[in-house]
Amino acid sequence: MREIRSTPARLLVADDNKVNRLLLARSLELQGHRVAMAENGRVALEMLGREPFDLLLLDMEMPEMTGFEVLEHMARDAQLRDLPVIVTSSLEGIDHVVRCIELGAEDYLPKPVNPVLLKARIGASLEKKRLRDQQKEMVRRFATRAVAADLDASGFALGGKHVRATVMFSDIRGFTAMVDAQPPEVTIELLNTYYTLMFDAIGGQGGVVNQMVGDGLMAVFGAPLPLPDPPRAAVNAALEMMQMLDLLNADHRKAGKPELRIGIGIATGEVVAGYTGTQDRATYTCVGNTVNLAARLEAHTKEAGEPILVDGETSRALGGALAAKTLGTVEIRGRSQPLEVFAVVA
């Protein structure tokens, strides 16, 4: 039989009957678990808020706060709703069992609890928790913090919604020629270093990098999680990206390596944001005119000779907080009317 856990699980027993509490805790300790006890639901919730536990064994009929109230509270708490709960109760009737399961309990065992059955139920619940924790870790590893938080709070569903956000596109100038002139391992190392710096600047301002294609990236500020001032966050991130690039280029000059130049385009407005793809493979992204405009502004940095270009919406949102100069109205490819474009002074 496969061992469920290599380290002892941390269990919490909540029961107002002291004898039941002590005997159950003793039985669980003999099975190799570490056990803490709470004399009622209120104390149990306080302990769950202070300490990490792997599983809760919960009685229903308790003073101050019943087991039902504990389950209701846990269902509303993003930190507790995935904690496995096994109800142990003397309450009879299928209605009570159904209500507990609907409130999120993993299982319902009537008192007196069969110790063999309880051991099996605990083992199965801990294994489910291990798999859920593993899945969350995979999400955190391969998704941004904001996307992981959104998935944890709202769950996964294909589809989108209209949100007001600021979109950024960035691209390395002359990267293709650079790739042709150096070994592939040097190129990959350069990209890894570059993305480490850019991700830090963008993430530090609350942005989400949701696309990387070669040497280019797309980032969103204000989705999936809201920000108090997405335009300012995006421009601050762009300025920090330029500062980090200056430091990287200083190291490159000392080592005799080619320097990097980037262009950044930023636009603010309504986008359609959400998860696209299939149930098996999906990504969080944004589409719409604002996204297209940010991409066009990034491309226009080459003609304008300016590293950071923003649209009028972004410039107005800044309200003079950051220095920007107008380039006048510019014909932007893909736009029917000329648009006023601003260059951020780094």
Side-chain angles (χ1 to χ4, degrees):
M1 186 179 199
R2 184 167 65 89
E3 189 68 31
I4 298 290
R5 297 178 69 92
S6 58
T7 57
R10 177 87 165 135
L11 310 186
L12 176 61
V13 175
D15 195 317
D16 65 315
N17 186 305
K18 187 174 183 178
V19 173
N20 288 344
R21 212 165 54 234
L22 291 171
L23 292 179
L24 181 55
R26 175 60 178 160
S27 173
L28 296 172
E29 287 170 347
L30 291 174
Q31 294 176 26
H33 302 300
R34 294 180 297 140
V35 184
M37 294 177 286
E39 61 268 27
N40 58 53
R42 179 186 58 77
V43 173
L45 281 178
E46 290 174 355
M47 294 177 68
L48 290 172
R50 291 195 309 266
E51 310 169 47
F53 287 94
D54 297 304
L55 185 142
L56 170 64
L57 290 125
L58 181 66
D59 185 29
M60 285 291 101
E61 298 178 288
M62 294 183 291
E64 295 193 43
M65 182 178 283
T66 67
F68 293 117
E69 292 171 320
V70 172
L71 289 172
E72 289 171 352
H73 181 94
M74 293 178 68
R76 295 190 299 267
D77 191 325
Q79 301 299 317
L80 298 179
R81 65 183 175 207
D82 287 335
L83 181 71
V85 179
I86 296 177
V87 172
T88 60
S89 177
S90 57
L91 286 176
E92 297 181 356
I94 191 66
D95 290 346
H96 296 303
V97 178
V98 170
R99 185 182 176 194
C100 288
I101 300 301
E102 288 178 342
L103 287 173
E106 199 85 29
D107 212 333
Y108 187 105
L109 298 178
K111 291 181 178 179
V113 177
N114 182 297
V116 176
L117 184 59
L118 177 61
K119 182 177 180 179
R121 293 289 196 260
I122 290 175
S125 296
L126 291 175
E127 176 66 358
K128 288 180 183 178
K129 180 179 185 296
R130 184 188 70 81
L131 293 173
R132 283 197 295 265
D133 291 345
Q134 191 176 66
Q135 184 180 49
K136 288 182 179 180
E137 179 58 32
M138 292 292 286
V139 170
R140 282 192 290 267
R141 184 174 300 178
F142 293 103
T144 64
R145 287 192 298 270
V147 171
D150 179 64
L151 287 170
D152 193 42
S154 307
F156 171 74
L158 293 173
K161 58 184 179 180
H162 290 278
V163 296
R164 186 170 177 81
T166 300
V167 181
M168 169 197 288
F169 276 83
S170 176
D171 187 74
I172 300 177
R173 297 286 170 259
F175 188 70
T176 301
M178 193 181 301
V179 169
D180 292 339
Q182 61 190 17
E185 62 271 17
V186 174
T187 299
I188 296 301
E189 178 62 27
L190 174 62
L191 279 177
N192 288 338
T193 301
Y194 169 74
Y195 279 132
T196 297
L197 299 177
M198 300 303 102
F199 273 49
D200 185 79
I202 293 167
Q205 295 292 334
V208 175
V209 177
N210 66 331
Q211 284 188 27
M212 292 184 296
V213 180
D215 59 309
L217 63 81
M218 170 186 168
V220 184
F221 296 79
L225 300 181
L227 291 174
D229 193 347
R232 184 173 301 189
V235 173
N236 282 336
L239 291 171
E240 189 172 347
M241 289 164 68
M242 299 303 298
Q243 292 169 0
M244 287 190 170
L245 198 62
D246 286 343
L247 295 174
L248 179 63
N249 283 333
D251 289 339
H252 279 203
R253 284 193 295 272
K254 292 178 183 177
K257 298 178 181 179
E259 297 182 29
L260 299 182
R261 295 286 179 265
I262 64 173
I264 301 173
I266 298 173
T268 298
E270 188 174 84
V271 301
V272 177
Y275 297 94
T276 62
T278 69
Q279 290 293 334
D280 295 323
R281 186 176 179 85
T283 185
Y284 185 88
T285 192
C286 298
V287 296
N289 288 331
T290 301
V291 177
N292 296 335
L293 177 56
R296 302 301 189 199
L297 288 172
E298 182 276 314
H300 190 69
T301 59
K302 302 172 187 176
E303 300 174 34
E306 298 284 352
I308 306 173
L309 296 183
V310 303
D311 68 337
E313 283 291 322
T314 304
S315 178
R316 283 189 290 275
L318 296 176
L322 295 169
K325 61 181 180 181
T326 181
L327 301 184
T329 56
V330 176
E331 294 281 352
I332 298 293
R333 188 163 60 90
R335 309 292 291 196
S336 59
Q337 298 292 328
L339 295 174
E340 188 173 15
V341 175
F342 298 82
V344 175
V345 179

